[in-house]
Amino acid sequence: MALNELNRHDEAISSYDASLKINPNNTTALMNKAITLSYLERYADAIPIYDKVQSVDNTIKEAGLAKSEAYTKLGKPDEAFLAAQGLLVPDILKFKEKAAEKQMRVFDYYCLNEFLEIEKREKQHREKLDS
């Protein structure tokens, strides 16, 4: 982080990479590397790293929000929306594909899925109460 403060971003990235060789799941190094790449406007490079953070520790909500911002900077609003919901890149791609198959906007398809999921949980809850 000190290297970033000195505007020595390439060296900072190298330091994060060295740390990741020791522990590829070091979320601090991953986040710092992704943030540095985003700062350098290398959004496409940052997105898979934010994704890795989320897959290692899904409680780090900042990763999804930062990934959403990166997609926004790349002019990809559908991906930005889905990333903000916490979806990982492979799931974003599948989701967009399914929405296209149904000839629906991504937002509408997401809302429909959320509604159906809530309906399913309520039905299961009612069945549990009835038994």
Side-chain angles (χ1 to χ4, degrees):
M1 289 174 54
L3 290 168
N4 276 330
E5 298 223 0
L6 295 170
N7 288 323
R8 294 165 53 186
H9 304 294
D10 289 335
E11 290 175 75
I13 291 170
S14 293
S15 294
Y16 301 136
D17 286 339
S19 178
L20 292 168
K21 282 182 184 173
I22 296 167
N23 178 2
N25 293 327
N26 180 331
T27 55
T28 301
L30 287 165
M31 276 300 288
N32 286 334
K33 180 178 179 181
I35 290 166
T36 301
L37 291 168
S38 290
Y39 175 79
L40 296 172
E41 299 182 3
R42 293 174 50 190
Y43 306 113
D45 295 330
I47 288 170
I49 300 170
Y50 287 128
D51 212 51
K52 169 93 180 202
V53 171
Q54 288 180 282
S55 56
V56 170
D57 184 351
N58 64 1
T59 66
I60 303 175
K61 301 301 179 201
E62 296 83 1
L65 297 175
K67 184 170 62 175
S68 175
E69 179 65 23
Y71 275 124
T72 298
K73 297 285 187 180
L74 291 173
K76 297 182 174 188
D78 288 338
E79 290 86 344
F81 169 74
L82 294 171
Q85 308 315 307
L87 273 68
L88 298 174
V89 171
D91 297 326
I92 290 171
L93 298 175
K94 288 178 196 170
F95 205 92
K96 284 188 64 182
E97 184 179 300
K98 287 181 181 180
E101 285 173 8
K102 299 209 179 273
Q103 298 180 338
M104 296 179 76
R105 293 181 322 150
V106 167
F107 178 80
D108 295 336
Y109 184 63
Y110 183 85
C111 291
L112 175 64
N113 277 342
E114 287 295 301
F115 174 76
L116 293 174
E117 187 60 36
I118 291 168
E119 211 173 51
K120 178 181 165 184
R121 284 194 304 264
E122 286 178 355
K123 181 181 176 189
Q124 289 171 341
H125 180 69
R126 281 191 301 270
E127 288 173 354
K128 188 176 181 179
L129 290 175
D130 291 344
S131 62

